[in-house]
Amino acid sequence: MSSAWTVTREHWTISREPVDSPAATALWRAYYTEVSDRWYLKETGRPTAPDELERGIAEETGEGLRAPDGLLLVARLRGEPVGTAGVRRLDATTCELKRVFLLPSARGKGGAGALMDAAEEAARAFGARRLVLDTRLDLVEARKLYAKRGFAEIPAYNSGAYQEIWYGKELADS
């Protein structure tokens, strides 16, 4: 896959970026804080404790989203980094979607569709015919997006503390 891979749509630019770039790091922090706080508020009635938050952010390095078998896409709205989507190859015909996220200020402006289109294109470039993902049941906005994009519930293909529902989509040739 080309390292100069970029997609532009209206005011959006989606491009491949290292997982440890300043923009990717800031967006990972925003993503993790949002989903962690949502879980902690539901389960305990309080946001994530600062030390727990820092530990969780540091534990996930994004190593699986590095070449040659992965990539991280960063979405920019009018030049400002506002979202991410990661793709990693699981096998010769399947890729996994990770870290799909837009800052709240960027939601409802077409970025989710642009990110999903770019992620599907990236998966096809890896040779994938299928894209899968896992998520939590309480992330209802994400689940609605996946259903709208043609993903259907599938059996679990992995396990972990926060995987509660799994989706898959057959990719059409572009």
Side-chain angles (χ1 to χ4, degrees), residues 14-89:
I14 315 289
S15 57
R16 185 176 188 167
E17 193 156 328
V19 295
D20 55 359
S21 75
T25 300
L27 289 164
W28 168 241
R29 174 174 286 282
Y31 169 87
Y32 190 87
T33 300
E34 183 174 318
V35 297
S36 182
D37 280 353
R38 186 180 284 200
W39 187 86
Y40 270 94
L41 286 166
K42 178 182 73 148
E43 297 295 322
T44 69
R46 63 169 179 76
T48 315
D51 61 328
E52 176 68 20
L53 187 63
E54 292 306 317
R55 192 170 35 257
I57 290 168
E59 282 176 5
E60 177 51 53
T61 64
E63 201 57 38
L65 300 178
R66 293 183 190 272
D69 291 320
L71 63 80
L72 181 70
L73 301 169
V74 171
R76 286 180 166 76
L77 178 59
R78 294 181 178 90
E80 292 298 316
V82 296
T84 62
V87 176
R88 69 181 188 133
R89 185 182 356 229

Side-chain angles (χ1 to χ4, degrees), residues 31-174:
Y31 169 87
Y32 190 87
T33 300
E34 183 174 318
V35 297
S36 182
D37 280 353
R38 186 180 284 200
W39 187 86
Y40 270 94
L41 286 166
K42 178 182 73 148
E43 297 295 322
T44 69
R46 63 169 179 76
T48 315
D51 61 328
E52 176 68 20
L53 187 63
E54 292 306 317
R55 192 170 35 257
I57 290 168
E59 282 176 5
E60 177 51 53
T61 64
E63 201 57 38
L65 300 178
R66 293 183 190 272
D69 291 320
L71 63 80
L72 181 70
L73 301 169
V74 171
R76 286 180 166 76
L77 178 59
R78 294 181 178 90
E80 292 298 316
V82 296
T84 62
V87 176
R88 69 181 188 133
R89 185 182 356 229
L90 295 181
D91 60 41
T93 61
T94 308
C95 280
E96 182 179 38
L97 187 61
K98 304 295 288 178
R99 294 190 184 188
V100 176
F101 174 71
L102 283 172
L103 291 173
S105 62
R107 294 175 189 164
K109 298 177 181 176
L115 262 173
M116 294 295 288
D117 286 347
E120 289 179 21
E121 184 178 318
R124 282 191 290 277
F126 275 124
R129 293 191 304 264
R130 185 164 200 223
L131 190 57
V132 297
L133 64 93
D134 62 67
T135 192
R136 295 190 336 227
L137 292 170
D138 66 316
L139 299 176
V140 293
E141 301 89 351
R143 291 176 51 214
K144 285 179 186 175
L145 171 66
Y146 302 139
K148 180 180 176 182
R149 299 288 306 188
F151 284 80
E153 195 171 339
I154 61 171
Y157 64 89
N158 62 8
S159 63
Y162 304 107
Q163 287 97 350
E164 297 176 323
I165 190 166
W166 297 260
Y167 291 93
K169 177 181 180 176
E170 299 302 317
L171 298 173
D173 293 330
S174 54

